[in-house]
Amino acid sequence: MNVSVLVLDGLFDSGLATVVDVLGMANELRGEVPHPPPRWEISCVGGHGAVRTAVGHVIECQAFDDVPQPDLLVVPGAGPRQSSLLVDWVGAPQREPEREELRRARAEGVSLAAACTSTFLLAEAGVLDGLSATTSWWLASTFRQAYPQVSLDEGRMLVDAVGVTTAGAAMAHLDLALALVRQSSPTLADLTARYLVVDHRPTQAGYAIPGHLARTDPTVSAFEGWVRAHIDQPLSIADAARAIGASERTLQRLVHKAVGVPPVRFAQTIRLEQASHLLRTTDLPTQTIARRVGYDNASTLSTLLRQRLGTTPGRLRNRSSSSSA
């Protein structure tokens, strides 16, 4: 399978290395599984003879037309980490050769994959229009406003759409690369993950920081503050709106615009963040923690942790114990 890795100036060194290393490891392990898939033949491509990575390494790359037609085009993360700069960067005239290459590859049926900031480049090129995608959780508000034609689910670590796979924040390059192996051989992907000591991570929601998301709008920030101040009490959107001087409709609209979910779900995110912190750092019973974050019983908290964050109170406590041992 011919894989072209599109490299850009300022690309994340870890993103490129992760994709190449995982596919390389899968190549080495092919003989360990029945019915092995074809080898992944990897080429670094770009619009210039060489690019300089974020930490200054020089990567030699080939021109798009100098490599065989790829079966898969992968775009590791690149560009500014600041959301205020990223949209301008992917839309700059200097990126037009890469945007055009993405559009051409899509039109010719080449599978596409991108992680972290480079999901913005795919969106800017128009190849995500009408599809589901994910991106770095902390860039989601900017992505949603810039590309409303894309159905964004930043809570997921990985989203497979028709012919396009997107992944979340920087270390999701690992999940992305394993997913690419899994598309050819689930058995080989599982074996590669075991050799690399990688656990299944279906969500990045547990890493999101609600306070960061709320800062994009003063009303949303005020709502976040109100929720934290009343975290052990039953949630009333009407009371919250009244307290921060907004109508319920305005609060619903602004919260959804900023973080992509209704106020009730955003408040739930804040409560689960606090509950996770208490489970990791205290010996309080789960029932007590549940009440401290506004839930009547431990089973409700456990269900929400499993559904929203893909974890349980026991796993959070065990992880804390393991890290302190």
Side-chain angles (χ1 to χ4, degrees), residues 184-206:
S184 294
S185 172
T187 302
L188 181 56
D190 291 342
L191 181 62
T192 303
R194 289 174 70 96
Y195 269 84
L196 295 173
V197 195
V198 180
D199 292 326
H200 181 52
R201 304 180 300 170
T203 177
Q204 57 178 339

Side-chain angles (χ1 to χ4, degrees), residues 14-25:
S14 61
L16 174 62
T18 297
V19 171
V20 173
D21 284 348
V22 170
L23 295 181
M25 175 68 81

